[in-house]
Amino acid sequence: MTRIDDVARLAGVSTATVSRALRGLPTVSAATRRRVLAAAEQLEYAVSPSASRLAGGRTGTVAVVVPRITRWFFGIVVEAVEDHLHQAGYDLLLHNLGGREQIRQRVLRTANLHKRVDAIMLVATPLRPADLTALATLDLPGITISSGTVVPGWPCVRIDDVAAARTATRHLLDLGHRRIAHISGDPDDELAFTTHLDRRRGYREALRSAGLRPDPSLDVESQFTIDGGTRATVELLARGEPPTAIFAACDEMAMGAMTALRDAGLRVPQDVSVIGVDDHDLAGVLGLSTIAQPAAEQGRLAAQLLLDPLGARHVGPYAGRIPEPRDPAAPGGGSAEPVILPTRLVVRDSTAPPRAH
């Protein structure tokens, strides 16, 4: 069996240089790396991932924490993160909080992750002061995706949720709608992410910029699910005169709204227009207008941002796009500037001008 010292002899370098070259570390010159790779290929040498990790004092594993893995956005992000990590030779340890406070306590406020992972990724996971203290104690590199909580020293990848909501609401306003309802997240869900607060803010800003006062009777809260959207719309219709349009904080809620409107004998968009946020896999099938966000790209870019401090090789088109985290101890330090990815309006069949009465 070919060993690493065989590769080192053939390439004319030390075994340590072979190890660094095969792991893609930046401390090896391009010429030396080519020589090592050629020697390894000639000898058919394969790196043992476990041996390489142990030698470097690392686990080769990244912890990824999500509120609820069954939600579309989280599933898309995690799949993209896992694919990127595997390409770089890392494994993913998934922690699905699932609305359970005891899981949060075990994952974020104990030494559960100590010596088990090399880095931590939090996907839309709100943090409390005790959580931040526990994460600081772990002293691991980390990153957040779509989070309203700033973790000192950690970069963040997200979209501008306020701007996305403004765009969705302005689309309805531009069509001529004035009685525009909003269905959004449930503030009583302890593990709910804070995205719904930003999207409500954008909705209200758009209304005010059009000279309209937000009507509390047109703002209903529920879960970010199809069932949640259905329940919210049923409640909305029970309050009296139906709106001419609904802005749902996510596509799954929008799908639920369309179901409730149909069951109430109302047509989309002839009677009520509906728009969401995400560009869910089913949005095109259902003809749902939406604000498309790059969920998979957020996952891939966040994964590379997280791997950079570990010296992992780049496996995607991110050269020159990744900001360096600031030193929290430096003047003006803290987290890196968030990486905000663009969204776009996708107009389909679910939105149209209000029907003349």
Side-chain angles (χ1 to χ4, degrees), residues 65 118 205 232 237 265 324:
V65 182
D118 298 329
E205 286 182 0
L237 296 176
E324 292 294 330

Side-chain angles (χ1 to χ4, degrees), residues 267-279:
R267 298 167 298 166
V268 176
Q270 292 90 338
D271 298 315
V272 182
S273 287
V274 178
I275 190 170
V277 177
D278 279 335
D279 203 17

Side-chain angles (χ1 to χ4, degrees), residues 158-177:
R158 61 181 177 85
I159 65 169
D160 187 334
D161 287 293
V162 177
R166 278 199 303 261
T167 300
T169 309
R170 283 174 182 165
H171 170 62
L172 297 173
L173 289 165
D174 289 344
L175 288 172
H177 294 278

